[in-house]
Amino acid sequence: MHCSYKIKLLLLLGLIPICLPATNLDSLVRSINETDKVELEEIASNLLSVGKIQLKQKNHNAALKSFTKVIEYTHRSSLHAEAYFQIGKTYQKLEQHKLALENYLETLRPQLIQHHKNIAQVYTPIANSYLALGEYEKAYDYQIRVLEIAENNGVLKQQGKVLYEIGTIFYYQDKFPEALTYYKKSLVLCEQLKNNQLISTCLGAMGSCYGQLGEIEQSLHYNQRYLALAQQVNYQPGIAYGLHNIASNYVSQTKYGIAMQTLERSLSLKKELNDKWGMISGLELIAEIYTNQHQLDLALTTLDKALAIALEINAKPRLQDLHKAYVDIYSIKGDYKKAYQHLKSHIDIKDSIINAESLEEMADRKSRYEIHKRETEILSLKKDKTLLEKDQQIDLLYKISFGIIIFLLAVIIGIFYNRYRLQRQNFDLLEDKNEQIRLKNEALQQANANQLEITHLLAEKNELLNHHNAQIEKSNQRLSAMNLELQHFTSVASHDLKEPLRMIGSYTSILKRRYIKNLDVSAQEFMGYITDATARMQALLDDLLSYSRAGSQRMEMEQVDLNDTLTIVHANLHHQLLDAGATLKVYNENLPAIQGSSTQMIQLFQNLVSNGVKFSGERKPVVQIKCTEQARTHLIQIKDNGIGIPLEYQDKIFEMFQRLHNHNEYEGTGIGLATCKKIVERHAGKIWVDSIVGQGSTFNIELPKLAA
Ligand code: ADP
């Protein structure tokens, strides 16, 4: 317990890496042997942190010890995984790639692999270790794994890096076109990401490729871009390699002076950076320049320097190249034995790095990767297709939904529109009706106004009528009074005149009887006129009197049997009928009875039958009486075969003193039919005549039937 606090404290102060040598640490760790497991884990965890700091400080051995203790003091797999990884990293820094690889591979053990948050971070150093060891196929395999992960995760930076690394694997195998392809792919990605460091690395690599392919101009172009960019971002390794590559281009162009200057700049930078691989390649190139300049000893010395470094770090690919360079120089020198020895070394190394099997395996892995990639692409295409189909389905669904929505909207709009239209129609109809009602109201009001006006007018007219009626009434009253007066006068006059007339008549007849013989012919003629006038005057007075009586006399209303009436009439007219040789025919056996005055009925029928006989003309008079029962009345017709009455006089003949003939033709007073009319009217009946001149006349009388 006590000790762990100590460690914590020291860690907190950041003093351990500075103050504690490894031995002290060992004793510290040993002193806590008795602590329990949890505490050990805590210590291990702290040791891990310590180791990382030591590694940063390039205190590689101390770091290795710290990481190794972590593995010793705990069984926690997560700590083991991290410790092995850090050990691998430390060995890599120490260019001990085999050990580095072993430790990296430890972390891929089933118990440990799960603790890597990002497995690609382990695969990448593994691939680099294999590359360093010249196991290109495995390096390639692990880079492909990283590429897959990066592609799956869509991490472009990592993809760019991996593509570059794969290019380098091909480059190391002198497969420059393939390498160039990967570098270009990487460059495209890096340019997208605007990652200057990676861009410069790619540009440099591409420059090297073009150089190797003999395309010096192209190579120089890329190398210069590479150098410019590296200088721009002040990327020291980039500057070193840029200079190296440009120098290499100059060598190709046999510009050895400038090439050498450039190389010296590059080499000094690499030394500063402790870039041993870079130093080897730089020295190699210097050796090449010396060789080309036939300064073979200088070339060999330079190669020896390079070989020493290559052996130090076991940089197999470099060793292979260096041996080849030795072969060339010794061959030129004619020292074939040494040339052979180096050639053998060169071949041995080459064989150990690349053999047919490994190449085949690489090709196989490459094709597997390509197939896998294609499958992935197809799968993603399928996914895309499925997605596309799903999208299409969704699109279709959207369209259908949209269609349905549109349709529903259309239906709703339609309904609303219809409603609106119906409402509008109803409204219009209502308006029409209202208009009609309004018009009707107006008309009604107008009518009312008219009615009012009419009523008003009617009232006025009524008033006028009443006034008139009153006047008429007054007139009637006056008339009645006058009539009465007239009737009275007529009656009185007729009556009173009859007496003196009778006197005249009597004395005229005495005169005639006594003195006729004494009178001459003229006087006798005059006497005849007087007698005649007197008789006519008498008849006139009689008629006037009877007319007057018909209108004024109080009527004794009784049931009058017309059979009796006609029997009396027949008897009264017996002589006249006989004299005229007339025939009186009554068609009905039983004539009806009426309510009225018996005297006046006799007077009525006697006048009419008498007229029928009188106006017979040349023919023997035939008078026919016919009675027809009607709904409310009896129609009695007195028909003769006489001279007839012209149409224009058929009404006039019922007026007083209207005669169509003079006395010489037919005797009469012109009062008879006026009296008949008065009698019929007093019995609430009607009288008229139908006649054809020369054929006869029919007098029609309508009298009310007796009440049932
Ligand atoms: P009167 O017979 O005394 O002349 P009425 O009043 O009876 O007077 O008749 C009026 C006139 O009507 C007659 O003068 C005659 O010209 C005409 N009249 C009347 N009855 C007949 C008839 N049956 N046929 C032709 N003319 C007639």
Side-chain angles (χ1 to χ4, degrees):
M1 277 297 251
H2 177 72
C3 293
S4 71
Y5 282 126
K6 249 190 215 170
I7 293 165
K8 271 183 195 169
L9 188 67
L10 287 168
L11 279 167
L12 278 169
L13 293 169
L15 294 174
I16 281 183
I18 307 154
C19 309
L20 281 178
T23 46
N24 290 349
L25 193 72
D26 284 349
S27 60
L28 182 71
V29 171
R30 267 198 297 277
S31 72
I32 55 167
N33 269 346
E34 299 306 311
T35 54
D36 62 23
K37 195 183 167 191
V38 178
E39 277 188 13
L40 279 172
E41 273 183 10
E42 204 176 343
I43 293 162
S45 173
N46 292 331
L47 275 170
L48 197 61
S49 305
V50 170
K52 281 179 188 174
I53 297 162
Q54 288 166 333
L55 183 59
K56 256 189 188 170
Q57 292 178 339
K58 295 184 181 168
N59 193 350
H60 298 116
N61 290 330
L64 277 172
K65 277 185 182 172
S66 296
F67 297 137
T68 311
K69 296 290 175 199
V70 171
I71 296 161
E72 266 179 50
Y73 289 122
T74 180
H75 295 290
R76 214 165 113 187
S77 50
S78 62
L79 288 171
H80 274 212
E82 181 65 19
Y84 278 121
F85 181 76
Q86 292 300 332
I87 293 168
K89 211 169 156 185
T90 315
Y91 280 125
Q92 200 168 22
K93 295 273 180 198
L94 291 167
E95 300 281 356
Q96 296 186 36
H97 298 290
K98 207 159 187 282
L99 284 169
L101 185 65
E102 280 171 9
N103 281 284
Y104 282 136
L105 290 173
E106 274 295 319
T107 67
L108 298 184
R109 287 211 317 259
Q111 304 93 321
L112 307 188
I113 193 164
Q114 57 186 325
H115 297 292
H116 295 296
K117 282 178 193 158
N118 185 357
I119 193 72
Q121 282 178 350
V122 185
Y123 286 157
T124 304
I126 291 174
N128 289 334
S129 299
Y130 275 126
L131 178 69
L133 292 168
E135 293 190 48
Y136 301 123
E137 75 283 2
K138 285 183 176 159
Y140 182 81
D141 190 19
Y142 276 95
Q143 290 294 2
I144 290 299
R145 291 188 202 188
V146 178
L147 184 63
E148 279 176 356
I149 293 164
E151 280 176 351
N152 287 339
N153 295 337
V155 187
L156 288 179
K157 190 180 172 186
Q158 200 168 24
Q159 285 178 45
K161 270 185 181 174
V162 174
L163 288 167
Y164 169 80
E165 296 292 353
I166 293 171
T168 306
I169 296 169
F170 282 108
Y171 185 90
Y172 276 21
Q173 295 172 84
D174 298 338
K175 295 176 185 274
F176 304 115
E178 289 89 339
L180 207 54
T181 310
Y182 279 96
Y183 289 146
K184 276 180 183 171
K185 282 183 190 174
S186 175
L187 183 66
V188 171
L189 272 176
C190 296
E191 277 175 344
Q192 271 180 34
L193 294 165
K194 295 191 171 115
N195 186 321
N196 284 334
Q197 193 181 335
L198 275 173
I199 290 170
S200 68
T201 314
C202 283
L203 287 169
M206 285 170 77
S208 300
C209 276
Y210 280 117
Q212 294 292 344
L213 288 167
E215 292 177 43
I216 308 302
E217 287 299 328
Q218 274 284 68
S219 173
L220 196 60
H221 164 76
Y222 278 101
N223 287 331
Q224 277 166 347
R225 277 181 67 192
Y226 169 45
L227 180 63
L229 197 63
Q231 283 170 337
Q232 190 187 318
V233 296
N234 196 28
Y235 179 55
Q236 296 297 313
I239 296 167
Y241 275 90
L243 289 167
H244 175 92
N245 288 356
I246 289 166
S248 174
N249 292 141
Y250 291 143
V251 171
S252 302
Q253 291 172 334
T254 61
K255 296 175 180 172
Y256 299 124
I258 192 166
M260 194 62 92
Q261 283 172 19
T262 315
L263 269 173
E264 274 166 4
R265 279 173 64 198
S266 166
L267 208 57
S268 69
L269 255 177
K270 285 175 181 172
K271 276 180 190 162
E272 277 175 35
L273 295 166
N274 196 30
D275 178 4
K276 290 184 176 168
W277 282 71
M279 284 164 70
I280 297 166
S281 57
L283 289 167
E284 209 177 347
L285 193 56
I286 291 170
E288 192 182 329
I289 294 168
Y290 286 138
T291 309
N292 289 345
Q293 291 177 330
H294 292 280
Q295 297 179 12
L296 300 176
D297 291 334
L298 279 172
L300 282 172
T301 317
T302 313
L303 279 179
D304 288 344
K305 284 180 194 171
L307 188 67
I309 301 166
L311 286 170
E312 181 194 333
I313 62 169
N314 194 27
K316 275 193 179 176
R318 292 285 150 262
L319 283 171
Q320 180 194 333
D321 290 346
L322 290 171
H323 284 297
K324 177 74 173 59
Y326 278 117
V327 172
D328 290 342
I329 295 166
Y330 283 118
S331 297
I332 296 165
K333 281 187 93 175
D335 190 345
Y336 297 113
K337 194 182 173 188
K338 281 192 175 170
Y340 172 73
Q341 282 170 353
H342 282 290
L343 184 65
K344 197 170 175 294
S345 301
H346 168 78
I347 290 164
D348 285 348
I349 295 163
K350 196 178 179 182
D351 284 353
S352 72
I353 294 171
I354 307 163
N355 54 44
E357 212 177 324
S358 73
L359 280 173
E360 249 176 52
E361 199 178 338
M362 257 185 80
D364 183 44
R365 280 173 193 274
K366 192 187 173 193
S367 61
R368 262 176 19 220
Y369 165 68
E370 294 297 340
I371 289 163
H372 179 75
K373 204 177 170 187
R374 290 280 170 272
E375 279 173 351
T376 316
E377 278 172 9
I378 288 163
L379 205 71
S380 100
L381 274 172
K382 274 184 187 169
K383 272 185 196 166
D384 286 352
K385 206 183 162 192
T386 331
L387 278 172
L388 196 74
E389 278 170 3
K390 273 189 183 168
D391 279 353
Q392 281 173 347
Q393 283 173 1
I394 290 164
D395 194 42
L396 193 70
L397 266 171
Y398 272 126
K399 279 178 183 168
I400 291 166
S401 309
F402 185 69
I404 289 167
I405 290 164
I406 291 288
F407 174 72
L408 284 173
L409 270 173
V411 168
I412 291 163
I413 289 168
I415 289 166
F416 274 102
Y417 176 71
N418 263 348
R419 262 194 179 180
Y420 168 76
R421 207 163 52 84
L422 277 171
Q423 275 183 354
R424 186 79 227 171
Q425 277 177 0
N426 285 344
F427 184 71
D428 286 350
L429 217 68
L430 217 66
E431 270 199 335
D432 278 0
K433 295 253 172 191
N434 279 343
E435 183 63 19
Q436 281 175 13
I437 288 166
R438 198 181 61 76
L439 287 171
K440 280 191 179 169
N441 275 344
E442 267 181 24
L444 219 62
Q445 277 176 1
Q446 188 65 40
N448 277 343
N450 289 346
Q451 185 100 38
L452 263 169
E453 207 174 330
I454 288 165
T455 314
H456 188 65
L457 276 169
L458 271 172
E460 276 181 5
K461 295 257 174 192
N462 273 343
E463 211 175 320
L464 215 68
L465 215 63
N466 286 338
H467 181 65
H468 280 212
N469 280 344
Q471 279 186 339
I472 287 165
E473 186 64 25
K474 270 185 191 172
S475 300
N476 279 346
Q477 280 175 3
R478 244 192 348 259
L479 214 61
S480 297
M482 278 167 74
N483 271 343
L484 268 172
E485 205 176 333
L486 188 67
Q487 277 167 15
H488 185 65
F489 165 75
T490 313
S491 174
V492 171
S494 319
H495 193 266
D496 289 357
L497 282 171
K498 271 187 99 170
E499 187 51 35
L501 192 63
R502 212 170 14 253
M503 292 285 283
I504 294 164
S506 300
Y507 284 102
T508 310
S509 60
I510 292 165
L511 271 173
K512 206 178 170 183
R513 213 174 343 117
R514 285 185 189 175
Y515 304 102
I516 195 79
K517 289 169 191 170
N518 302 334
L519 297 173
D520 60 11
V521 179
S522 295
Q524 284 182 18
E525 194 182 336
F526 292 152
M527 281 298 286
Y529 286 139
I530 293 167
T531 313
D532 198 30
T534 310
R536 277 200 285 129
M537 186 72 168
Q538 211 149 16
L540 188 61
L541 285 173
D542 285 342
D543 283 352
L544 267 173
L545 207 59
S546 70
Y547 175 80
S548 164
R549 282 182 191 136
S552 63
Q553 220 172 33
R554 202 176 148 267
M555 250 191 351
E556 287 294 330
M557 295 301 275
E558 55 186 340
Q559 266 200 22
V560 181
D561 187 341
L562 292 179
N563 295 300
D564 297 344
T565 307
L566 278 179
T567 307
I568 296 164
V569 168
H570 197 269
N572 287 350
L573 295 175
H574 177 72
H575 291 293
Q576 190 192 354
L577 289 169
L578 207 62
D579 289 349
T583 312
L584 176 63
K585 281 188 189 171
V586 179
Y587 276 84
N588 301 72
E589 282 183 6
N590 273 317
L591 289 168
I594 57 122
Q595 189 74 19
S597 158
S598 164
T599 317
Q600 286 189 356
M601 279 300 114
I602 293 164
Q603 202 177 351
L604 171 69
F605 281 99
Q606 199 166 302
N607 261 339
L608 293 173
V609 174
S610 169
N611 276 353
V613 174
K614 186 164 64 175
F615 299 104
S616 62
E618 299 299 317
R619 281 188 290 266
K620 284 273 181 195
V622 177
V623 178
Q624 301 172 60
I625 297 173
K626 190 177 160 190
C627 185
T628 311
E629 190 180 348
Q630 300 181 137
R632 290 179 181 175
T633 54
H634 296 291
L635 174 67
I636 302 148
Q637 293 171 308
I638 297 104
K639 185 184 176 187
D640 64 53
N641 60 344
I643 57 172
I645 305 156
L647 191 63
E648 63 270 28
Y649 297 113
Q650 287 179 4
D651 285 331
K652 279 193 172 176
I653 53 169
F654 292 98
E655 292 172 14
M656 284 275 276
F657 308 117
Q658 291 295 327
R659 303 194 73 241
L660 306 179
H661 312 281
N662 60 38
H663 291 290
N664 298 329
E665 287 177 298
Y666 297 99
E667 279 187 352
T669 58
I671 298 170
L673 285 178
T675 309
C676 287
K677 193 176 183 231
K678 189 163 259 186
I679 291 166
V680 170
E681 282 174 352
R682 284 201 82 184
H683 283 79
K686 279 200 302 187
I687 182 166
W688 73 97
V689 68
D690 299 313
S691 179
I692 299 168
V693 175
Q695 287 190 14
S697 309
T698 301
F699 283 87
N700 305 286
I701 302 160
E702 243 182 24
L703 290 170
K705 282 161 112 177
L706 284 172

